[in-house]
Amino acid sequence: MEDELILLDSWVSPFGMRMRIALAEKDLSYEFREENLQEKSPFLLQMNPVHKKIPVLVHNGKPICESLIIVQYIDEFWKDKSPLLPSDPYKRSQARFWADYTDKMVYSCMRGIYSGKGEEQEKAKKEFIEVLKVLERELGDKPYFGGDNFGFVDVSFIPFYSWFYAMEKLSNFSIEAECPELVAWTKRCMQRESVAKTLPDQHKVCDFVLQMRKRFVAD
Ligand code: GS8
């Protein structure tokens, strides 16, 4: 039986982009369903009744929630093509640690920038730069976080790159000036088809973020 894969997602979600990159790495086709997060579909509420969030991967009718868990599921189910997690248990633990770090640290700083003002926004920017520098140190002189191969940490982190330009515009700084090696890594990742075809245009993301800010942040 052909596997049926449905992705409940939103084009601008960095969490959703993780799924799309992982599915592309494994050469899997799927049905993409854009959710309106202001008016969630009954199917989303049924598939993710706990958090009511996207992304959700529905595999032959069964839902899998939480982006990092979904990427690991994809990697385990379709293990023969383009493995994302290393097979060594210690290396796996380290990959999970850094993916979790991007989850906890990168997005919270970005939220501080896009929803904050004045001093609060400045603090989020400084913290964001620190977090990026920590990640740049972890990358070291490897081509990818996964070493010679594009792996789990790369999949987890690269989607946030599509939001970098919006962060720079909102908070007036240059990520390339702060973290040149990290930006070189983003360019390497963008040469991969799975990433290039998934990440939306940074200007389009920026317009979206500015609109969202207009709606939710009083100036
Ligand atoms: C985060 C998903 C999330 O925040 C994951 O999958 O990794 N930890 C989760 N989804 C957001 C859209 S992206 O910013 C979402 O669905 N928000 C709707 C809501 O909170 O009501």
Side-chain angles (χ1 to χ4, degrees):
M1 186 186 88
E2 263 289 286
D3 283 299
E4 185 201 47
L5 289 169
I6 301 171
L7 187 58
L8 307 181
D9 202 349
S10 161
W11 68 273
V12 77
S13 166
F15 303 105
M17 290 173 214
R18 290 171 167 170
M19 313 310 71
R20 285 173 259 155
I21 295 171
L23 291 164
E25 285 289 329
K26 302 282 179 181
D27 228 349
L28 294 164
S29 40
Y30 56 92
E31 182 190 337
F32 179 90
R33 291 197 195 164
E34 178 77 25
E35 278 288 330
N36 173 359
L37 296 179
Q38 312 311 318
E39 207 183 316
K40 295 170 187 169
S41 71
F43 190 52
L44 172 61
L45 301 178
Q46 186 196 341
M47 292 292 108
N48 191 355
V50 177
H51 293 305
K52 305 177 177 63
K53 288 186 180 196
I54 56 100
V56 180
L57 178 69
V58 187
H59 182 197
N60 297 333
K62 291 187 292 191
I64 306 116
C65 302
E66 286 296 313
S67 60
L68 291 182
I69 293 172
I70 305 172
V71 174
Q72 293 183 67
Y73 176 82
I74 293 170
D75 197 38
E76 283 169 14
F77 201 91
W78 291 276
K79 53 178 173 294
D80 294 337
K81 192 173 185 330
S82 310
L84 297 172
L85 275 147
S87 50
D88 173 76
Y90 183 72
K91 288 187 181 150
R92 281 169 92 84
S93 76
Q94 296 310 291
R96 288 183 174 126
F97 173 87
W98 286 108
D100 180 63
Y101 181 85
T102 68
D103 231 33
K104 292 190 173 125
M105 305 304 288
V106 178
Y107 194 64
S108 64
C109 294
M110 286 189 358
R111 198 170 38 216
I113 295 176
Y114 75 69
S115 60
K117 286 192 293 186
E119 248 175 63
E120 191 195 336
Q121 192 185 51
E122 200 53 27
K123 189 166 163 266
K125 172 172 92 177
K126 284 203 182 108
E127 215 181 310
F128 184 50
I129 294 169
E130 279 317 302
V131 165
L132 295 181
K133 284 187 194 285
V134 169
L135 284 159
E136 191 177 46
R137 273 199 298 279
E138 168 55 22
L139 178 67
D141 52 16
K142 305 189 289 290
Y144 296 111
F145 284 90
D148 287 332
N149 298 314
F150 180 80
F152 185 53
V153 183
D154 302 285
V155 176
S156 308
F157 184 25
I158 193 63
F160 295 108
Y161 169 60
S162 60
W163 285 57
F164 278 11
Y165 175 72
M167 298 302 109
E168 292 176 323
K169 286 288 136 206
L170 277 170
S171 203
N172 197 27
F173 70 116
S174 155
I175 295 175
E176 188 155 25
E178 300 286 349
C179 299
E181 295 306 323
L182 199 64
V183 170
W185 163 80
T186 64
K187 290 183 180 150
R188 254 188 318 275
C189 292
M190 283 301 275
Q191 279 165 12
R192 296 184 76 81
E193 198 194 332
S194 64
V195 178
K197 75 174 186 192
T198 298
L199 264 54
D201 178 62
Q202 294 209 0
H203 293 88
K204 196 173 157 207
V205 174
C206 187
D207 289 346
F208 170 87
V209 173
L210 294 176
Q211 293 276 342
M212 196 167 66
R213 200 177 148 83
K214 237 188 236 164
R215 273 175 70 180
F216 298 111
V217 185
D219 275 318

